[in-house]
Amino acid sequence: MALRRILVLVAVLATSVVLGTPASAAPPAPAPAAACDYPAWQAGRQYNPGDIVRYTDGNYYITVHANPGYDPVISHWFWDPYSCDGGGDPDPGGFVVSEAQFNQMFPSRNPFYTYSGLRTAMSAFPAFANTGSDTVRRQEAAAFLANVSHETGGLVHIVEQNQDNYPHYCDPNQPYGCPAGQAAYYGRGPIQLSWNFNYNAAGNALGLPLLTNPWLVQNDAAVAWKTGLWYWMTQSGPGSMSGHTAMTGGHGFGQSIRSINGALECDGGNPGQVQSRVTKYQQFTQLLGVSPGGNLYC
């Protein structure tokens, strides 16, 4: 009888250890991380939600809608970018703006401006909204999207609405001229890229024939977003720094305005337009749960 009681007690203690009751019990070892080794994408092959592929450019994509092998960098509705950092977990840390928040920011957006197109474009600029503290990352995302919202009427307009301006964006003094036509370099995309020299520079940086085919910016969402991020990340425009540097270097939202349209809006040029950008930035930072910081005006 005594032996039976001892056996029962041992069994109870063993069960307690399995359930993790004792404070000193060691936590279970984590499962080994999955290797980042997914098959190459194949045109014409059936893909179902959750399937992950390696595209020809070395980036990974995950199927969000079943499709018969559509190209991941063209058919953005069917695919989302997938990050293999952190042992294969999708997008560790994540973009600081979720798709739900993106939709809240742009409730009337044109379907052309897809969230997946933005995510695809971000793979070309990994430092975007991924530099510095979480606060800085959120502030930069809010700043970029606030300026984009202002430029496009809330992501409604794909091309510049005032067609009278179209012939003005050709600088014939550039050695490459305007091969797509004098009136071909009007504003397009989220940042309203304009002028032949900007299309040339953006095309060279992105490996795209934008000088000869500027219409790519209004026909491909990922290309459109890439041109916006190219300008934001690398161009100072009429300012002294890029929008990215303004936000990650602690210079404030006002300097990002200066880099985009400071020649016309800053220093009292058009305070109403500046206020419109600042108000949108404040709304977006509030949505992302972060302070807008200082130096909001230019």
Side-chain angles (χ1 to χ4, degrees):
M1 186 65 70
L3 178 60
R4 182 177 180 181
R5 289 176 179 173
I6 291 173
L7 292 175
V8 170
L9 179 60
V10 170
V12 170
L13 290 173
T15 301
S16 298
V17 171
V18 170
L19 297 176
T21 300
S24 60
C36 183
D37 184 18
Y38 296 103
W41 166 77
Q42 296 179 21
R45 176 179 175 179
Q46 180 64 35
Y47 290 102
N48 298 311
D51 290 343
I52 301 168
V53 298
R54 184 182 70 256
Y55 191 59
T56 55
D57 60 2
N59 293 317
Y60 291 85
Y61 295 85
I62 185 168
T63 311
V64 292
H65 294 98
N67 68 88
Y70 294 143
D71 192 315
V73 302
I74 296 177
S75 303
H76 308 303
W77 191 75
F78 295 95
W79 300 89
D80 268 349
Y82 181 94
S83 173
C84 289
D85 296 333
D89 292 332
D91 198 20
F95 180 35
V96 293
V97 180
S98 69
E99 185 166 8
Q101 289 170 326
F102 179 80
N103 290 333
Q104 283 183 266
M105 291 173 171
F106 305 104
S108 302
R109 66 179 171 83
N110 191 307
F112 173 79
Y113 290 112
T114 60
Y115 180 79
S116 60
L118 172 59
R119 299 305 313 278
T120 298
M122 286 171 59
S123 65
F125 299 94
F128 170 68
N130 197 30
T131 302
S133 67
D134 183 66
T135 294
V136 171
R137 292 166 59 210
R138 292 175 186 273
Q139 288 173 339
E140 182 184 8
F144 172 73
L145 293 173
N147 279 305
V148 160
S149 180
H150 180 85
E151 294 292 322
T152 61
L155 286 186
V156 171
H157 302 304
I158 301 172
V159 302
E160 183 174 353
Q161 297 301 287
N162 187 354
Q163 297 187 17
D164 291 341
N165 287 337
Y166 285 15
H168 300 159
Y169 296 123
C170 171
D171 179 1
N173 295 320
Q174 300 297 330
Y176 40 77
C178 301
Q182 181 177 349
Y185 301 100
Y186 50 85
R188 295 180 178 89
I191 212 76
Q192 291 291 281
L193 186 74
S194 56
W195 289 97
N196 56 331
F197 48 79
N198 280 327
Y199 277 90
N200 181 65
N204 289 339
L206 298 172
L208 296 168
L210 299 186
L211 183 65
T212 56
N213 187 6
W215 298 276
L216 279 173
V217 181
Q218 68 189 69
N219 293 328
D220 187 305
V223 171
W225 282 115
K226 282 181 181 179
T227 62
L229 287 174
W230 166 80
Y231 192 93
W232 176 264
M233 298 294 294
T234 68
Q235 301 301 296
S236 60
S240 60
M241 67 189 73
S242 68
H244 173 70
T245 298
M247 298 310 298
T248 60
H251 304 286
F253 179 70
Q255 290 302 313
S256 76
I257 300 174
R258 190 177 293 278
S259 70
I260 294 173
N261 214 23
L264 296 177
E265 297 179 14
C266 293
D267 303 316
N270 196 328
Q273 295 294 306
V274 172
Q275 185 60 58
S276 173
R277 294 179 192 265
V278 171
T279 298
K280 188 60 65 176
Y281 173 62
Q282 291 171 323
Q283 292 173 354
F284 286 179
T285 51
Q286 182 177 15
L287 179 62
L288 296 179
V290 67
S291 163
N295 302 320
L296 298 182
Y297 297 87
C298 62

